[in-house]
Each structure stands twice: as C-alpha cells, then as structure tokens.
Amino acid sequence: MKIFRFTPILLILFIAGWSCSPNARNSFPDNNALSQTPFVPTDNGYKLVWMDSFDGTKLDTTKWSLRGLGSRRIGYNDSSMVKVENGNLLLMYDIKGDSILGAMIGSEGKFETTYGYFECRAELQKSVGPWAAFWMQSPKISEGRDPAEYGVEMDIFEYFNELGPDTLSHALHWAYGPEMQSVGPLKSGLKGLDKGFHTFGFEWTEKNYAFYIDGLKFFEVNEGISKIDQYIILSMEIRDKLEGFKKAVAPDTFKIDYVKVYKK
C-alpha cells in the first residue's frame, strides 16, 4: 500500500486547490438531513391555526401587506412584482428600464405569534442573482440586544443559487447593530431542490429552533431564542451590487402554493 505524505506547503496547496475548484460548491451531499423520517406537525401535537392558500386573484390584505415598497439595496420593491393567480402567490424579479425590481409581503400587524411550526410550499427561482426568502421578523428587533425580549430575524430559508442548485441556506440574527449576533449560515443539501415544489418548515419552541425541507429535519439550534410575537415575511430579494446580477435571467419568480402555521 502506498502512503502519501504531504509537506505543509503541499498540503496547503492541495486544500486551496480543492476549495477553489469549480466543482467544490457541488460537492455537497445529496441529502444531509439529521433525520430521514418526515416530520408531520399534526402527528406531533400541533393544530393548524392560520393559513393562506392564495386562492383568488389578489393578495388577501386581511393577512398580508406589501412590505418595503420603494428603494431596496440597488433596486426597488414594487407592487407590480406581486401577483396571485392559479392558486399561487408570485413574487417576481424583473428589470424594467434601468430599474431592478423585487417583491416582499409580510403579516406584520395582521398575524403575529410566538412559537409554532411554520411551513410554506414553494417553487424556487431559477437564476443566480435575485433570491427567494421565507423568514420571520420581530417589530422590536432594533430596540435592544436580548433575543428573548426583542426578538430574532429568523431566516427560515434563503435560496442563493450560486451555492449550488441543491443547497439552501438558513440563519438567525439578533441585536442589530455593531454587536449583532448570528447563527449560520447553515447549509442544507437536498437533491432536486431546484425542481418543482417543496415544503419548507420551521419549528420554534421555548427551547430551540429546527429547520425542515420536505419534512426532513436538517438543523436544530438552541441559542438566540425569541420569546415574543413575530410576523412572517416572504420576499424575492435584490442584491446590493450590480455584479451580482451578471448571471440573472429576468423575469424570474418565487412561486408559493401556501403558508401554514401550526400551534400546540
């Protein structure tokens, strides 16, 4: 048997060469879930308390508001980028004239809650550049540092296509400002994530958070626990630099079939 020995210099070059390889981003496993047993909220003591299946032809303003209209990074959130049709919510990215347009809706002031299981079924955007996001926010997050008292930005998922078509990112942020605290990004790998609809779930309890894709648990976190009411946000996000759109294809769409909230 041949035994290969690396000098320190060769070892550094080997590691650097692997990490810079064009295929490095695609070396993620097909499925890195913690459990291969699907989580069913109603089998775990949860009851459905709130949902929107986006029936009809316009956004239900008893549940949602257009959010952040106007300037957003190097583009704009625009009401024309939000549509409801064929039983789906469409949050779109497009370029009109010299303007880059995105979309965001939120349940602030209309549905806010503490703890539960939050799920959306959605089809993700196709191109690199804009990114789909499903998240929760606190109305008090900028007022202090304690996540229990002031809340947490809960990035249930963000889909950065440049990480690879089968990779999803999750994160938590609190104490906005120079001393901001974060967990993540945590990266989930699931083969076929870029094709068709998938469910994206998030369990928030008094003790921890858990992140799910298609019912499979990928991460569990027990720090930065918010203990106050927070609201839901769905968005098609815009980059902060123009170079981030070099590979983008406009228009592009984040398509949501439903949002459901379960509580015990």
Side-chain angles (χ1 to χ4, degrees):
M1 177 186 294
K2 292 184 179 179
I3 300 176
F4 295 93
R5 302 184 186 277
F6 290 98
T7 66
I9 292 176
L10 286 175
L11 182 59
I12 291 170
L13 290 173
F14 173 80
I15 294 172
W18 178 87
S19 64
C20 293
S21 166
N23 296 320
R25 74 183 184 101
N26 295 320
S27 62
F28 219 60
D30 287 350
N31 181 336
N32 70 330
L34 298 175
S35 170
Q36 299 302 316
T37 302
F39 178 84
V40 179
T42 53
D43 292 345
N44 287 271
Y46 284 99
K47 294 182 179 179
L48 182 66
V49 298
W50 187 93
M51 72 173 293
D52 194 346
S53 55
F54 303 106
D55 297 321
T57 58
K58 60 182 180 180
L59 192 68
D60 185 344
T61 55
T62 68
K63 297 177 178 178
W64 306 99
S65 297
L66 298 176
R67 182 174 173 83
L69 293 176
S71 181
R72 177 81 166 163
R73 302 188 182 95
I74 63 167
Y76 301 89
N77 282 337
D78 191 87
S79 61
S80 68
M81 297 292 100
V82 179
K83 293 183 179 180
V84 176
E85 61 183 37
N86 300 320
N88 295 303
L89 168 68
L90 309 181
L91 299 180
M92 295 173 288
Y93 149 78
D94 205 351
I95 298 175
K96 294 187 176 181
D98 59 357
S99 296
I100 299 172
L101 304 179
M104 184 185 302
I105 66 168
S107 68
E108 184 177 12
K110 300 185 177 185
F111 178 77
E112 300 180 11
T113 193
T114 307
Y115 311 135
Y117 183 78
F118 305 82
E119 182 180 84
C120 80
R121 181 175 183 266
E123 183 178 63
L124 304 172
Q125 92 280 355
K126 302 301 181 185
S127 63
V128 174
W131 77 92
F134 175 35
W135 46 304
M136 297 187 70
Q137 185 59 285
S138 160
K140 300 172 64 178
I141 196 165
S142 298
E143 298 176 17
R145 297 186 60 197
D146 183 358
E149 182 178 356
Y150 298 104
V152 174
E153 177 187 323
M154 306 165 178
D155 294 332
I156 299 171
F157 82 75
E158 294 178 281
Y159 185 56
F160 301 106
N161 216 328
E162 66 269 25
L163 296 178
D166 302 324
T167 302
L168 206 67
S169 178
H170 324 272
L172 303 165
H173 309 285
W174 65 94
Y176 279 0
E179 298 181 353
M180 185 175 78
Q181 302 294 306
S182 297
V183 175
L186 309 170
K187 296 177 184 178
S188 297
L190 185 64
K191 190 70 173 177
L193 195 60
D194 62 329
K195 297 176 178 64
F197 283 84
H198 298 268
T199 60
F200 305 95
F202 178 69
E203 188 177 24
W204 167 23
T205 74
E206 293 181 356
K207 296 181 178 180
N208 57 40
Y209 304 110
F211 299 87
Y212 296 82
I213 307 172
D214 290 341
L216 305 182
K217 182 191 290 188
F218 282 80
F219 291 98
E220 191 168 296
V221 178
N222 60 6
E223 59 182 302
I225 306 299
S226 171
K227 299 184 182 298
I228 66 170
D229 283 356
Q230 302 206 183
Y231 55 91
I232 301 167
I233 301 174
L234 294 158
S235 55
M236 181 67 120
E237 295 287 345
I238 296 170
R239 301 277 174 168
D240 57 1
K241 294 181 180 178
L242 192 59
E243 62 188 36
F245 290 96
K246 286 182 177 179
K247 296 182 180 180
V249 177
D252 207 342
T253 304
F254 173 27
K255 184 184 295 185
I256 302 99
D257 177 30
Y258 66 70
V259 179
K260 297 180 179 180
V261 179
Y262 299 81
K263 293 181 71 70
K264 290 185 176 181

